[in-house]
Amino acid sequence: MESLLTAYPPAAWAALLGTGILIGLLAGLLGVGGGIVAVPILLEIFEFQGVAEPQAVPLAVGTAQASILIASITAAAAHWRAGSIDRELVRAWLPALMAGAIVGLAVSPFAPTRVLTTLFAVVAAALALKMAAGDRLIIGQSEPKGLLSQVSPALVGGLAAAVGVGGGTLSTPVLTLFSFSIKRAIGAGALFNLIIAAPATLVFLQMDNDVPGRPADALGDVAVFCVATLSLPALFVAPVAARWSARAPVSLLRRLFALCLAVIAVRLLLR
């Protein structure tokens, strides 16, 4: 146990705790998973420990997904209590979202990382412009019916799972394209984070168990102590942020979401 605790320097613990606070804030306030925040920090920490990049990248993504999973439990529960989760919407999106996530998890090990991150950055930038434009930029007053209604959740689940971010990062702006209330979309996004992160975490727990040269706390591609350190502050912050979200002005939430997507896009393009 002592060797595990001393495996990370104090600066790493401080960075993880600070990142956990931000994950909880994003999960509760905007329904965003926070993986885009956690992964770069985790990469820096693992590379400082001497973990080679080919092993550090899946380890960082898997650890971030496990942290999103835990943070999303309290965030989704808080949004559920606040009445901001649209149950009909969740039922309509759930099958295609999960199918897309499974496909994304299966494809991501074989797709070039740069291609995936660039694609996600372009999509995030476009959705940031949509959020900034508000109701002036919509596709329709409601989602398509029939099989076409499954296209959006399938694409959201696939791209989010492949890149390693929460489903709410994409689902919220996509839903607002069809005139959904942003508060309903944020509440659903908090639950979608949980739905995508659960199978993703299970997959990463089974990967690379026999690969040498990784941290002592690595279980598959999940660094357990890092998950605990990221999740502890997020568990407390996410419910408080979710209550803020339920009371916040719609215009403020829209601007914050647009800013978040723009930062994500820039960060990925510069990576």
Side-chain angles (χ1 to χ4, degrees), residues 25-53:
L25 184 62
L26 291 173
L29 188 62
L30 300 176
V32 173
I36 200 66
V37 177
V39 170
I41 298 296
L42 290 165
L43 281 174
E44 293 290 338
I45 291 172
F46 294 148
E47 289 175 5
F48 177 80
Q49 289 183 293
V51 180
E53 185 176 356

Side-chain angles (χ1 to χ4, degrees), residues 26 32-37 117 120-125 128 163 165-166 169-170 257-271:
L26 291 173
V32 173
I36 200 66
V37 177
T117 55
F120 191 92
V122 171
V123 172
V163 180
V165 300
T169 307
L170 293 178
F257 213 110
L259 177 62
C260 180
L261 286 171
V263 170
I264 289 172
V266 171
R267 176 68 185 84
L268 287 175
L269 289 173
L270 295 178
R271 186 172 181 268

Side-chain angles (χ1 to χ4, degrees), residues 127-220:
L127 292 175
L129 292 175
K130 187 274 167 252
M131 295 300 286
D135 295 336
R136 295 189 299 274
L137 181 58
I138 61 172
I139 293 176
Q141 295 300 321
S142 63
E143 280 200 287
K145 304 298 182 182
L147 288 176
L148 285 177
S149 66
Q150 303 302 300
V151 173
S152 294
L155 291 176
V156 166
L159 188 53
V163 180
V165 300
T169 307
L170 293 178
S171 67
T172 295
V174 167
L175 284 167
T176 61
L177 283 170
F178 300 98
S179 302
F180 274 83
S181 159
I182 187 171
K183 291 193 177 184
R184 287 172 62 203
I186 287 174
L191 188 57
F192 294 155
N193 290 335
L194 179 60
I195 291 167
I196 291 178
T201 300
L202 290 175
V203 169
F204 280 107
L205 283 169
Q206 306 302 318
M207 293 173 61
D208 297 331
N209 275 297
D210 299 325
V211 176
R214 301 183 307 147
D217 63 323
L219 181 59

